Amino acid sequence: MQKYQLLCILFVAFGSIFYGYDSGCTTSVLGYSSFIEYFNLDATTIGAFGSAYYGGGAVGCFLNYYLPDKFGRLRTIQISCVLALIGSAMQAGATNFPVFCAGRVLGGIANGIVFSVCPTYASEIATPEIRGRVGSLYAFNVNFAYMLTEWMGLGFYYIKGNAAWRTLLGIQLVPAAFMLIASFWMPFSPRWLIMKGREDEALEVLRKLHAGVEGHEEDFYIKEFHQIKSQYQIEKANQLGLVAIFKKKSYRKRMYLILTFVAFCQFTGIIPLQNYQVTIYTKLGFTNVFSLVLTGIWGTLGCLSTITASQIVDRMGRRHLMFVSYSFMIPGGILLVALWASFEHTNSSNYALGKAVIFGMFFYGFGYGGFMNTFFPTYCTEVMPTNIRATGTASGYALFNLIVIMLVQVTPMAIEAISWKYFMIFVICDVIFIVIFIIFYPETKNKTLEEISAIFGDEVAETLEEAGQHVDEVLHEHEKSVQHIDEVPAKLA
């Protein structure tokens, strides 16, 4: 990977820090009695501010049906950064619960936009053999930000008064500000430029990103350009726009794969476990301080999980990644439920059983943290064609947020009412989905985004080898275009 491509990918992957940090905030502040008392929160209002955030996230995802294709992936990221700055300031400075919730909604919109557009952007600037690792880096940043927030949350716990939670929430301003500033040095997506007819710019961006990449010929970027352009021309000639998702069988199949994965991804129960860890730990007999320590360990484990996943995703493929994930999650879920039931059977007096429940949670969390979070941004962007990639990815993340709204609202009440039986539902869903996955989900590793269309029975304009026949033609057209641009000032003079 050459330096410029690496810097661009690091920038795009930074977008996941938005979501990771915000998720960590949601968990940590629930361990602060000053926060609970300031807004006079109960199980219902705790669910409400969680739902407000994810409701905003769903709105942000729906905005990505329009923004990334109209204004570009890069401009959309910049819009989200501005919204995040406003929303974060409202949360940190809130003097009443409605203002705090409004800030959470605005922050949710910003995160919904950036969290779903960044994987699209990343897939469009990465070479085929590293797309999985780019998804893994995206997942690592989610987990790293979450881990960092949780350990910071533990440190801030010892700050007296409301300064603790206000500081924790205020730091949300930092990633938004950093990403907004850095965005002015980023290129537009080459595939979006081709969609807009700005072909010379697209070729130049591909040259800067992919020329001299290790493992490829020097003219790889030219072949790639011609392949992208040819594939888009087929889609444009057949008028395969947004409506094609509903009319074209292969597009519907791709969308079904994304939406089914997202639904079962959320029905793993990871959000209830992650967001309400403190509630679960205290129910198992642990103190607030030790509960915050455990949330930090949970975040650290997610980072270790992502490092493991990064070694598998491009080498073994996407399918093997999921098999490894569920080999942890299903046994971990069974352990969690069985041990929690035993703990309650002893009238919640067996401290050793309480610690064993935590082991089940962590075993489960390791299986999800890196593996599922790597598969999500990688596979969902790979299987969608360029003209509807942003829309398809946004649809997946929108469903993600809509399901989470329900889960964060009902989980505090469900834990109070039925405790371990609530998580039994998620274990059953895991078993159902792994069967569906084995039957219906194809492998996509090491293929260009355009070549993946063949897996779903669609016409592929040309392979990279075939595109190689047009290298001289592309260079000649590009030189003519540059020469024409240089001649314009002379003619005007």
Side-chain angles (χ1 to χ4, degrees), residues 23 25 52 89 114 144-145 176 213 223 242 244 250 288 319 324 338 401 407 411 421 429 436 438 451-452 459:
S23 296
C25 285
V114 79
F144 177 78
V213 172
K223 298 176 184 177
L242 179 59
S250 64
N288 269 6
R319 284 173 61 85
V324 174
N401 283 284
L407 292 175
T411 293
K421 300 180 186 69
C429 287
I436 295 172
I438 290 169
E451 289 170 344
I452 287 173
E459 179 185 0

Side-chain angles (χ1 to χ4, degrees), residues 114 123 169 208 289 296 320 334 339 372 377 419 489:
V114 79
S123 71
L169 292 170
K208 290 176 69 177
V289 173
H320 283 89
I334 292 170
L339 292 170
M372 294 284 277
S419 64

